[in-house]
Amino acid sequence: MSILEVKNLNLGFASEDNFYQALFDVSFSLEKGQTLALVGESGCGKTMSAMSILNLLPKTAKIVSGEILYNGENILTKKASEMSKIRGGKIALIPQDPMTSLNPLYTVGEQLLEVIKIHKNLSGKEAFNQAIEAFDAVQIPDAKSRLNNYPHEFSGGMKQRAVIAMALATGAEIIIADEPTTALDVTIQAQIMKLLNEIKQNNQTSILLITHDLALVSENSQNIAVMYAGRIVEHASTQTFFSNPNHPYSKALLKSIPSSEYSKLETIKGQPPALSQIIEGCRFHPRCDYCMEKCRLDIPLLKEIIPNHYSACFLNGN
Ligand code: SF4
């Protein structure tokens, strides 16, 4: 059984006089001790999928149908109090900007201890020891005195380490890392990804890595799900995806990153659709070089083209 399974999730936003669908039958699964990368351009629905898992959606968002199974239980039916124990305690978020998680008015230590106390029934001394252990685990030097620092006294990379320490200290089984290194320079990026990989190996933590950066994905994930305009268009092992991408959008994405294999750097023509834009048929068809008449009329479903490799494209014969 997968530790996390998103099944046929449909979600939209209500305005005064309309309802705009943002996620269409989104399905993917995350295995214990593995990293699944959810990739795609900005606005494709990656973060919205993650926020659905954490039950942190904006007020205007509405899940129309679907299930989110954590250890086999549908967490969409959980009460708010049960969900707040799961969020942070079992499923933790590492955001792009760590200041989203850190309050500038309290020391990092106070915030870490607060999180430990909420999610674990520990005495003050035990919680303090856990906080030190968590700082040691994320390689923040001189943990005891650093706990007394305010967030502004930490560098960007250190802040991100502190947020990861919070996830570690509560024993989270799943870490949702939403563009965790985008705000960091390249050297620190590599250190943070190395740290996340070590945590995954040592604790059998599962990671949902949300990113637009395919270079990051190739080295740091076992599986990949590509999203386009609210739909998953390809789902495969990372190795299969990079050696044999199937969907025209995936191929276009790969051609748009610098690499020796795809030496000529290309851009994808056009723009991803706005949320309010209604597109009949395949949502990628206005930008697809292989668009056929059928693509403008019908929706291609995600289909297993070889074992464990799924793609949603009529070129595969569905
Ligand atoms: Fe392109 Fe048609 Fe495949 Fe969509 S279904 S990706 S438009 S070929």
Side-chain angles (χ1 to χ4, degrees):
M1 181 176 65
S2 305
I3 190 162
L4 183 79
E5 212 176 334
V6 175
K7 288 173 100 173
N8 304 106
L9 190 66
N10 286 285
L11 174 149
F13 289 89
S15 71
E16 263 185 15
D17 51 3
N18 227 326
F19 184 78
Y20 301 108
Q21 191 153 351
L23 298 182
F24 300 80
D25 273 324
V26 168
S27 297
F28 56 82
S29 53
L30 175 63
E31 308 306 320
K32 192 165 178 60
Q34 295 201 351
T35 297
L36 168 71
L38 196 53
V39 305
E41 291 163 286
S42 297
C44 70
K46 309 181 295 279
T47 296
M48 209 47 66
S49 303
M51 293 304 128
S52 305
I53 296 166
L54 292 160
N55 194 14
L56 287 177
L57 290 166
K59 280 206 174 85
T60 50
K62 184 171 166 32
I63 291 176
V64 181
S65 60
E67 290 184 323
I68 297 177
L69 305 177
Y70 164 58
N71 282 327
E73 274 190 73
N74 186 7
I75 53 177
L76 290 180
T77 59
K78 297 270 179 208
K79 289 185 199 140
S81 57
E82 291 174 304
M83 200 51 219
S84 68
K85 278 189 196 146
I86 292 173
R87 186 175 53 242
K90 298 292 177 196
I91 307 176
L93 174 68
I94 298 174
Q96 179 176 339
D97 177 4
M99 286 311 286
T100 315
S101 301
L102 295 170
N103 187 330
L105 301 177
Y106 295 92
T107 67
V108 178
E110 283 169 330
Q111 296 177 64
L112 179 54
L113 284 168
E114 179 72 14
V115 169
I116 294 172
K117 280 179 193 159
I118 289 172
H119 292 287
K120 293 188 163 180
N121 196 13
L122 295 178
S123 69
K125 175 94 172 75
E126 286 168 326
F128 182 74
N129 288 340
Q130 282 232 340
I132 300 269
E133 272 176 34
F135 261 32
D136 285 342
V138 298
Q139 293 142 30
I140 293 180
D142 197 11
K144 213 169 174 177
S145 82
R146 287 302 237 159
L147 284 171
N148 295 319
N149 288 160
Y150 286 87
H152 74 267
E153 295 175 283
F154 276 32
S155 66
M158 280 296 183
K159 282 188 205 121
Q160 204 55 299
R161 284 174 194 268
V163 173
I164 296 171
M166 286 183 185
L168 269 185
T170 59
E173 291 185 300
I174 298 172
I175 290 177
I176 298 179
D178 188 1
E179 306 273 7
T181 60
T182 304
L184 306 173
D185 71 44
V186 179
T187 328
I188 309 295
Q189 251 182 36
Q191 289 173 8
I192 294 293
M193 288 316 301
K194 184 168 175 274
L195 176 62
L196 283 173
N197 286 330
E198 281 168 9
I199 289 168
K200 180 176 71 178
Q201 270 158 18
N202 296 342
N203 305 347
Q204 280 293 291
T205 310
S206 307
I207 299 177
L208 179 62
L209 175 64
I210 294 171
T211 182
H212 63 276
D213 184 346
L214 279 173
L216 195 77
V217 166
S218 65
E219 289 166 11
N220 296 289
S221 70
Q222 284 68 53
N223 293 294
I224 179 165
V226 180
M227 278 194 97
Y228 182 77
R231 278 191 186 277
I232 302 284
V233 295
E234 187 158 2
H235 194 331
S237 74
T238 304
Q239 197 179 18
T240 301
F241 177 81
F242 280 94
S243 59
N244 194 19
N246 178 272
H247 196 277
Y249 177 60
S250 305
K251 290 179 182 173
L253 272 184
L254 284 164
K255 282 180 184 166
S256 67
I257 56 166
S259 83
S260 51
E261 198 178 338
Y262 295 90
S263 51
K264 188 168 171 256
L265 204 58
E266 293 179 21
T267 53
I268 308 174
K269 69 178 181 190
Q271 296 289 328
L275 187 62
S276 55
Q277 198 174 334
I278 294 168
I279 298 175
E280 305 289 344
C282 171
R283 292 179 67 72
F284 188 56
H285 89 252
R287 303 175 77 188
C288 182
D289 290 336
Y290 308 94
C291 179
M292 306 169 279
E293 190 52 32
K294 184 179 175 59
C295 307
R296 298 180 218 277
L297 304 170
D298 300 332
I299 299 167
L301 301 177
L302 205 59
K303 181 179 147 186
E304 194 168 29
I305 48 172
I306 55 164
N308 294 321
H309 188 174
Y310 299 81
S311 180
C313 176
F314 289 129
L315 292 173
N316 296 314
N318 52 349

